[in-house]
Amino acid sequence: MVVFRLLVLLLLVQGVCTFLHIPQCSIREPIPILHKYYHSGDLIIAGIISQIYIFSDTLSFEKHPSQEFSDDHIHFSARWTYEASMELLSRRAKAIPNYKCDAESTPIAVIGGPNSNVCLHMAPILSTYKIPQLIYGSSPVMNQQSQGVFFHQMFPNGDHQYRGIIQLLLRFQWTWIGVVFQDGDNTEGFIENVLPMFSQSGICFDFIEKLPTQTTSSGITDMMEEGFHSVSVIMGSTTNVVVVHGGIQTMMALKMVPQVIKFEYIPLRTKGRVWLMTAQVDITSFPFQRNWDISFLHGSLSLAVHSVDLLAFQKFFQIRNPTTSKEDGFIKDFWEESFDCSFPSSVADNIGGQICTGEEKMEALPMSVFEMRMTAHSYTIYNAVYAVAHALHTRHSSQFKHRGMAEGVRWGLPNQQPWQLHHILRSISFNNSAGEMVRFDEDGKLIAGFDIINWLMFPNQSFLRVKIGKIDSLGTQEKLFTIHEDAIVWPNQFNQTRPISICNDHCSSGYSRTKKEGKPFCCYDCFPCPEGKISNLKDMDDCFQCPEDQYPNIGQDICLPKDISFLSYDEPLGISLVTFALLLTFITVLVLRIFIKHKETPIVKANNRTLTYVLLLSLILSFLCPLLFIGQPTKITCLLRQTAFGVIFSAAVSCILAKTTIVVLAFMATKPGSRMRRWMGGNLAISIVLFSFLIQMMICSAWLIVAPPLPDIDKHSVPKEIVLECNEGSVTMFYCVLGFMGMQAMVSFTVAFLARKLPDSFNEAKFITFSMLVFCSVWLSFVPTYLSTKGKYTVAVEIFSILASSFGLLGCIFFPKCYIILVRPELNSRGQLIIRKN
């Protein structure tokens, strides 16, 4: 019913115009169209493009909108886009909403840009009429179910851009950055969705600051005041890299940075900055900014929609001027603003100002005012026009197949409806005149990559944008972009070296990092690795252990191979021990020879020659026993060294025990009526030695059966060495061997100590007591020393204990006798023994 009433209303309006014979619809004082370019044709492709900033106040609804112009404020107003959208539908010199009172065609498609505001505010009207809208700037956020389906984005998928920026930051190791943005339709999505991607990639922010924005309630003064704070934050930060997110108008706010620094005292922590701008940002300015310094952008980087420079584009501009372009409603205002002149309407208007001749050359303009080459925005508009043309061609070709020829004349151009182009545009694919493919994905977004641009600024307000790489929208994460770093020109303050932008200096190898409390995660303290650990890369979170066969160097940044270590015959310690062992062996052999040679003398006979010979032989073997401990451990030496040492020493100590026992029994046997005489004789001494020997043999045999010693490798005891050693197998059995010898020594010591005051002519108890004291002292000190040493020195300690204790027995027991035999032979007689006894 609503549709019916609308149709009736339209018919009534048309009827009034007809019956009253009104030649055309008349509407009083509509809002004027300030700028328009129109060229007639069979099909119309329209454009709503932000070109000139107009001075105006906000609408107060107290007077006619066309009268509300002043020079107090400058801003973007959505009403200009709404008005332009309605004007495209009315196609008159003045905007008449929803009326078509002339014969001009409705646009078949509309190209919009360069910012999201223009696209967002033209959508409500144009989408109502299902007109395709091709956006060449950043796309707005809108309802995909209603308005979004009529949009075809000449701007590639923004996710590729942001992923490319992240990879670019990581490539240059810029993990400490600042972010500036302008309020806009896409700002919320950027902050909520994109910035977390930076953080997840290990990039953190020194600041996130909003640039001043032109709104309906803020003028230049308000923008400057807001800009003071923003610039103070930016220039007072410690980062060297600032990511700039915004639209084409963002450059106007960015140009305020050097001006604020110039007129306001702002302390600078670093003089240089690398500005990394998104693809939507481009050179533009307010009229009063045309001569402002832009050298601060020298060395900056930006992304741009991939484009190709077309020479025909420059030739087109070289022939454009206000006198030859009557249908262009923009060029006159552009000419006056660009060349700082005016076209007078009368002779009086020429007084005191420069006159525009219309013959000025656009190539003479500074590049900061106008670029003759095709920019990325121009290239996307160029592709948008051709996309519509190819869609129309495809549509016309499909319709023409169903039409024929009438008397050799083709049918006229079929009536084209805008909504018929949507599905064609989504599937269109063609090569433009530059030879590059243009196509859209299923969401209506252009499938294209981004160029990485290096900005070079020159003193004459000209600049050069050099392509140094690209971001491939179809590339993998690993091959997302390519860049020629050697071609980059960095800001002058960095002396052509890649800027460093980190929160603090890297933690070098040999250190680990720890997050600073209250600071972003990119800020950390560095601490040396603990002993035994290394870090071989920068900024490692934890140090780690070297492999078992390696050890950390002094700087704790690399692992060095451990040296193979064992007590060898080639090193000084081994040579010294072998020398002492052989020397003491030779001395013991010499003592044995002396005792054999003087075996018939009273001093040799008085001390049981058999036990003396066995003891001396045991000491010879004891001095030779350390040779089993020196050299690389083998299976045989490991089996023999401790067991041989235990058996030989038990034999030596048992001989001393037997000698002491015989002396005591002999003294007791001299008393009248003593029964001890029956115990006297060689059998008792031999029994004591054999009994002790057999017990030690049983302990050693059990050790070899249960857990025999084997060659082993110790990688942990000594930090820088791999120690080749004998694993004792059973530590308990090892200490059982030592314990049995200790028990023998303590019994011998006790018996000798009790018999120390017996007459010297009958015994050598005093010498045995002293020898056992030395023996026990050596082995009591051996245990803690053995446990506290590591590596080959453990073996050296045991060898020293063997030599020292054996030498103690040899020296204390036999050296006094050798002295009498060799030096004082007169004392070696039976008479002297009787005298000493008395």
Side-chain angles (χ1 to χ4, degrees):
M1 192 64 183
V2 174
V3 176
F4 176 76
R5 288 177 179 175
L6 285 173
L7 292 173
V8 171
L9 179 60
L10 290 174
L11 290 174
L12 288 175
V13 172
Q14 293 178 357
V16 170
C17 294
T18 303
F19 293 141
L20 295 179
H21 303 286
I22 299 176
Q24 61 182 6
C25 294
S26 176
I27 297 181
R28 297 180 179 180
E29 297 183 356
I31 299 175
I33 300 297
L34 300 179
H35 301 89
K36 182 177 75 171
Y37 176 88
Y38 176 76
H39 187 76
S40 60
D42 295 325
L43 297 171
I44 303 298
I45 301 176
I48 299 178
I49 297 171
S50 174
Q51 292 282 354
I52 299 173
Y53 280 83
I54 300 172
F55 292 91
S56 67
D57 280 327
T58 57
L59 293 176
S60 63
F61 298 99
E62 295 178 355
K63 52 186 176 181
H64 193 277
S66 62
Q67 299 174 351
E68 294 197 358
F69 291 92
S70 69
D71 57 359
D72 293 335
H73 296 81
I74 184 168
H75 58 267
F76 170 81
S77 178
R79 69 183 177 92
W80 299 111
T81 304
Y82 285 124
E83 180 183 348
S85 301
M86 292 187 291
E87 192 275 336
L88 289 178
L89 300 175
S90 63
R91 307 305 306 156
R92 290 181 55 84
K94 295 182 179 181
I96 307 172
N98 211 34
Y99 286 85
K100 283 180 57 179
C101 296
D102 54 17
E104 294 177 1
S105 300
T106 301
I108 198 68
V110 177
I111 300 173
N115 53 48
S116 61
N117 285 333
V118 172
C119 305
L120 179 66
H121 295 300
M122 74 184 194
I125 295 175
L126 298 180
S127 297
T128 303
Y129 292 89
K130 299 181 176 60
I131 297 177
Q133 300 153 59
L134 289 86
I135 304 169
Y136 71 90
S138 56
S139 59
V141 178
M142 56 182 58
N143 189 338
Q144 293 294 326
Q145 299 299 323
S146 57
Q147 300 171 345
V149 295
F150 305 110
F151 273 69
H152 306 273
Q153 299 178 19
M154 302 305 297
F155 192 87
N157 191 326
D159 290 342
H160 299 308
Q161 173 179 218
Y162 299 128
R163 287 197 296 120
I165 291 175
I166 291 172
Q167 293 301 314
L168 199 60
L169 293 171
L170 296 178
R171 165 68 179 271
F172 295 137
Q173 299 180 0
W174 294 337
T175 58
W176 181 243
I177 66 171
V179 176
V180 295
F181 64 93
Q182 271 194 314
D183 272 339
D185 182 64
N186 295 331
T187 301
E188 184 177 349
F190 172 75
I191 294 175
E192 293 183 357
N193 301 325
V194 178
L195 292 186
M197 294 169 52
F198 283 68
S199 299
Q200 293 166 6
S201 301
I203 300 168
C204 51
F205 312 106
D206 188 7
F207 62 87
I208 301 174
E209 192 67 23
K210 183 181 74 172
L211 290 173
T213 308
Q214 321 95 281
T215 65
T216 57
S217 59
S218 66
I220 295 300
T221 303
D222 297 330
M223 289 177 59
M224 292 295 290
E225 291 178 354
E226 187 178 353
F228 291 155
H229 172 73
S230 300
V231 174
S232 298
V233 172
I234 295 170
M235 304 311 295
S237 68
T238 58
T239 179
N240 288 326
V241 178
V242 179
V243 174
V244 182
H245 179 272
I248 194 170
Q249 74 281 1
T250 303
M251 184 60 68
M252 294 182 291
L254 204 59
K255 283 185 175 182
M256 295 171 57
V257 171
Q259 301 299 317
V260 174
I261 296 174
K262 182 178 180 181
F263 294 105
E264 295 287 329
Y265 175 74
I266 297 178
L268 305 180
R269 292 194 179 181
T270 57
K271 294 183 178 180
R273 291 288 189 283
V274 177
W275 304 89
L276 179 54
M277 296 171 281
T278 55
Q280 299 91 328
V281 180
D282 206 344
I283 291 290
T284 186
S285 62
F286 293 121
F288 59 83
Q289 292 180 318
R290 59 178 294 150
N291 294 321
W292 283 14
D293 182 24
I294 59 174
S295 62
F296 73 100
L297 293 175
H298 180 70
S300 296
L301 302 175
S302 72
L303 300 188
V305 179
H306 174 68
S307 62
V308 178
D309 199 12
L310 301 177
L311 295 178
F313 186 74
Q314 297 184 15
K315 295 179 181 179
F316 171 76
F317 276 117
Q318 289 172 352
I319 62 174
R320 301 289 292 179
N321 61 61
T323 59
T324 60
S325 305
K326 302 295 184 182
E327 73 283 355
D328 191 342
F330 294 99
I331 195 167
K332 184 177 179 181
D333 285 340
F334 165 78
W335 211 265
E336 291 180 336
E337 292 290 347
S338 299
F339 291 99
D340 196 17
C341 61
S342 60
F343 290 99
S345 56
S346 63
V347 178
D349 295 334
N350 296 337
I351 300 174
Q354 184 178 351
I355 300 175
C356 295
T357 65
E359 299 299 326
E360 291 83 1
K361 300 298 183 182
M362 283 195 288
E363 55 263 32
L365 290 171
M367 292 184 67
S368 59
V369 176
F370 185 77
E371 293 183 71
M372 291 291 291
R373 62 179 294 182
M374 177 169 277
T375 65
H377 284 100
S378 302
Y379 188 70
T380 51
I381 295 174
Y382 167 83
N383 284 331
V385 173
Y386 270 85
V388 176
H390 277 272
L392 289 171
H393 177 76
T394 301
R395 174 64 180 167
H396 175 64
S397 299
S398 63
Q399 290 183 345
F400 183 75
K401 291 180 182 179
H402 303 287
R403 296 176 181 268
M405 299 286 291
E407 297 180 358
V409 180
R410 288 184 177 179
W411 291 93
L413 187 68
N415 183 28
Q416 299 284 349
Q417 297 297 326
W419 57 267
Q420 297 174 327
L421 295 181
H422 286 298
H423 72 281
I424 300 177
L425 282 171
R426 291 292 171 99
S427 60
I428 198 70
S429 177
F430 65 93
N431 288 337
N432 61 18
S433 59
E436 295 198 326
M437 178 172 288
V438 179
R439 58 195 178 105
F440 300 90
D441 62 17
E442 58 184 8
D443 296 324
K445 296 179 181 178
L446 181 69
I447 300 177
F450 294 90
D451 293 326
I452 304 174
I453 306 297
N454 187 205
W455 295 60
L456 308 183
M457 301 298 174
F458 303 102
N460 61 352
Q461 293 292 313
S462 63
F463 64 90
L464 185 63
R465 288 189 271 202
V466 181
K467 295 181 181 179
I468 55 165
K470 64 179 181 178
I471 296 175
D472 187 359
S473 62
L474 300 179
T476 61
Q477 184 70 25
E478 293 76 17
K479 298 180 180 180
L480 180 63
F481 76 97
T482 56
I483 190 169
H484 305 289
E485 186 175 349
D486 294 339
I488 300 177
V489 176
W490 300 111
N492 296 330
Q493 295 84 350
F494 299 108
N495 297 323
Q496 201 45 36
T497 59
R498 182 204 293 178
I500 298 174
S501 190
I502 54 179
C503 180
N504 45 253
D505 291 337
H506 290 290
C507 290
S508 60
S509 53
Y511 290 79
S512 62
R513 63 182 183 179
T514 302
K515 182 183 177 300
K516 289 183 178 180
E517 292 296 330
K519 296 289 185 179
F521 64 86
C522 292
C523 304
Y524 42 80
D525 292 314
C526 301
F527 295 98
C529 289
E531 185 178 356
K533 293 186 176 183
I534 72 159
S535 62
N536 56 358
L537 298 175
K538 292 181 179 179
D539 296 335
M540 293 192 66
D541 294 324
D542 294 298
C543 301
F544 60 91
Q545 294 277 2
C546 287
E548 290 185 343
D549 57 347
Q550 298 178 7
Y551 70 96
N553 64 338
I554 296 177
Q556 293 183 276
D557 55 356
I558 59 173
C559 291
L560 301 176
K562 290 183 177 180
D563 296 327
I564 302 298
S565 174
F566 58 90
L567 187 59
S568 70
Y569 291 99
D570 299 330
E571 60 182 300
L573 180 60
I575 294 173
S576 301
L577 293 174
V578 170
T579 302
F580 279 113
L582 294 177
L583 178 61
L584 293 175
T585 302
F586 174 77
I587 293 173
T588 309
V589 171
L590 186 60
V591 171
L592 178 60
R593 184 176 180 278
I594 292 171
F595 270 68
I596 293 174
K597 183 178 179 180
H598 299 86
K599 62 181 179 178
E600 298 300 332
T601 61
I603 197 169
V604 175
K605 290 181 177 181
N607 292 285
N608 196 320
R609 286 179 297 184
T610 304
L611 288 179
T612 300
Y613 297 154
V614 173
L615 176 58
L616 287 172
L617 288 173
S618 299
L619 290 177
I620 291 172
L621 294 176
S622 297
F623 288 130
L624 293 175
C625 187
L627 300 180
L628 294 172
F629 290 80
I630 302 174
Q632 182 173 346
T634 63
K635 187 175 182 180
I636 294 177
T637 57
C638 287
L639 288 172
L640 292 179
R641 61 168 57 170
Q642 299 293 1
T643 54
F645 153 70
V647 171
I648 291 170
F649 257 68
S650 290
V653 176
S654 63
C655 287
I656 294 174
L657 177 61
K659 287 171 72 70
T660 307
T661 303
I662 293 299
V663 170
V664 174
L665 290 176
F667 177 78
M668 296 177 65
T670 59
K671 293 180 179 181
S674 177
R675 299 180 181 179
M676 293 298 175
R677 291 186 178 185
R678 57 183 175 182
W679 294 99
M680 297 297 295
N683 293 334
L684 177 62
I686 295 173
S687 300
I688 293 175
V689 173
L690 290 177
F691 180 75
S692 300
F693 179 80
L694 290 174
I695 291 178
Q696 191 69 292
M697 283 292 295
M698 292 174 62
I699 295 174
C700 292
S701 300
W703 185 4
L704 294 178
I705 294 172
V706 175
L710 293 173
D712 196 7
I713 297 176
D714 182 5
K715 298 180 179 179
H716 307 288
S717 297
V718 182
K720 300 180 181 180
E721 297 177 350
I722 297 177
V723 180
L724 301 184
E725 63 179 9
C726 288
N727 187 324
E728 307 302 349
S730 173
V731 178
T732 302
M733 297 302 295
F734 174 64
Y735 285 108
C736 285
V737 171
L738 293 181
F740 182 73
M741 286 191 302
M743 182 193 70
Q744 288 179 295
M746 290 302 297
V747 172
S748 298
F749 174 76
T750 302
V751 174
F753 179 78
L754 294 176
R756 70 188 184 280
K757 293 184 180 181
L758 293 177
D760 291 342
S761 58
F762 285 96
N763 66 80
E764 50 189 357
K766 291 182 180 179
F767 298 139
I768 293 175
T769 302
F770 191 70
S771 67
M772 286 293 99
L773 182 63
V774 173
F775 185 90
C776 293
S777 299
V778 169
W779 287 104
L780 287 175
S781 62
F782 162 77
V783 175
T785 307
Y786 182 83
L787 294 176
S788 61
T789 54
K790 303 294 182 183
K792 61 185 178 182
Y793 298 104
T794 303
V795 178
V797 166
E798 188 169 359
I799 293 175
F800 176 80
S801 300
I802 293 173
L803 295 177
S805 58
S806 299
F807 182 74
L809 297 179
L810 178 67
C812 294
I813 296 176
F814 293 100
F815 282 180
K817 296 182 175 119
C818 290
Y819 173 79
I820 294 175
I821 294 172
L822 299 176
V823 180
R824 302 291 301 274
E826 69 275 8
L827 299 178
N828 189 10
S829 64
R830 183 174 180 82
Q832 289 295 326
L833 291 176
I834 295 173
I835 293 172
R836 293 173 61 190
K837 176 181 178 182
N838 296 329

